[in-house]
Amino acid sequence: MKNNIRLTQALVIVAIVLLVGFLFSRDIKGLPPKKEEAQMPAATAENTPQLSIEEVSNTAKNLVSVAIAKDITILEVAYKTASESEKPDQAKQLAQKWDDVEQAVPSAMYLEVVAKAEPNLTNWLNAGDRFLKAFDNTRDSLVQPIMLQKANIAFKNATALDSTNNDAKTGLGITIVNGMGAPMQGIAMLMEVVKNDPKNFKANMNLGMFAIKSGQFDKAIVRFNDIISKIKATPDAYFYLATAYENLGQNKEAIDAYLNSKKLAANPTLSGFIDKKVAELKNKR
């Protein structure tokens, strides 16, 4: 039980740190995108370089401890020498091992192996979600479009199996908005999910984030307030709400939201950042 609690706390902390990185690496912190800024071209099989499991594994091993890398190497040998019928189970173990150390790229690649070998809805959704996580987390400009393309394919496969599944439609909509098609098509897909399931947390959160990304801060404020009051009050929902308030010059509301994010997250790294942000906003009042 204690180990599970520690793991949950660790994952929450990592998620909050990644959230801050995601916000500020993608210009979500403040100014709306420049109108002259070119949209990222849609990733396709023709213009997206290929990436092997071996490549991403070797890169990820440099980011974990020697002991973890050694354990993964042992699992990789078992995977490579396994029969075709045994490979999916070996791939699941590797995907979980990589996910345990927050290395989403190799984890997603192994979940794709599982989904291709056992192509059911759950497996394609798992692969798509992990590819989206990898897309959000990586700062590698070569790896990022590959993760997005693979997420798009995974969610397309999921919707082909069940066109009414909200998780599949949400994931597909997110990939479309991020560059795999016309953004408004993706927005429409997410809006459809919310219409059918008003309390769908993931779809609502992404609609709010895209509102911030496009400079529609007033819409983002409405969206995140609804999420917090009607669905789930989370550190990231408050953080995005604060960001939207700050961009409209509503500093008092921004401070309150930042402090709520800090309280819920209870994370030293995020707390330090928010303390500085709150001090800056108080000086502007």
Side-chain angles (χ1 to χ4, degrees), residues 18 25-26 104-105 131-145 147:
L18 290 173
S25 64
R26 292 172 181 259
V105 175
F131 276 125
L132 270 186
K133 182 179 179 180
F135 169 71
D136 285 340
N137 292 357
T138 185
R139 303 274 69 84
D140 190 319
S141 60
L142 295 178
V143 173
Q144 204 171 49
M147 296 298 101

Side-chain angles (χ1 to χ4, degrees), residues 8 32 39 41 46 97 128 141 143 174 194 225 281 284:
T8 300
Q39 182 185 353
E46 289 73 25
K97 189 70 173 180
S141 60
V143 173
I174 293 170
V194 170
N225 271 321
L281 292 173
K284 292 181 181 179

Side-chain angles (χ1 to χ4, degrees), residues 187-203:
I187 294 292
M189 197 171 291
L190 293 173
M191 292 295 291
E192 181 185 352
V193 170
V194 170
K195 181 180 178 181
N196 296 329
D197 180 13
K199 292 189 176 183
N200 188 294
F201 180 74
K202 190 173 183 179

Side-chain angles (χ1 to χ4, degrees), residues 124-160:
W124 280 120
L125 287 175
N126 287 341
D129 285 340
R130 199 64 52 80
F131 276 125
L132 270 186
K133 182 179 179 180
F135 169 71
D136 285 340
N137 292 357
T138 185
R139 303 274 69 84
D140 190 319
S141 60
L142 295 178
V143 173
Q144 204 171 49
I146 298 174
M147 296 298 101
L148 182 63
Q149 182 198 39
K150 285 181 174 292
N152 179 264
I153 292 170
F155 287 121
K156 281 182 176 177
N157 286 329
T159 55

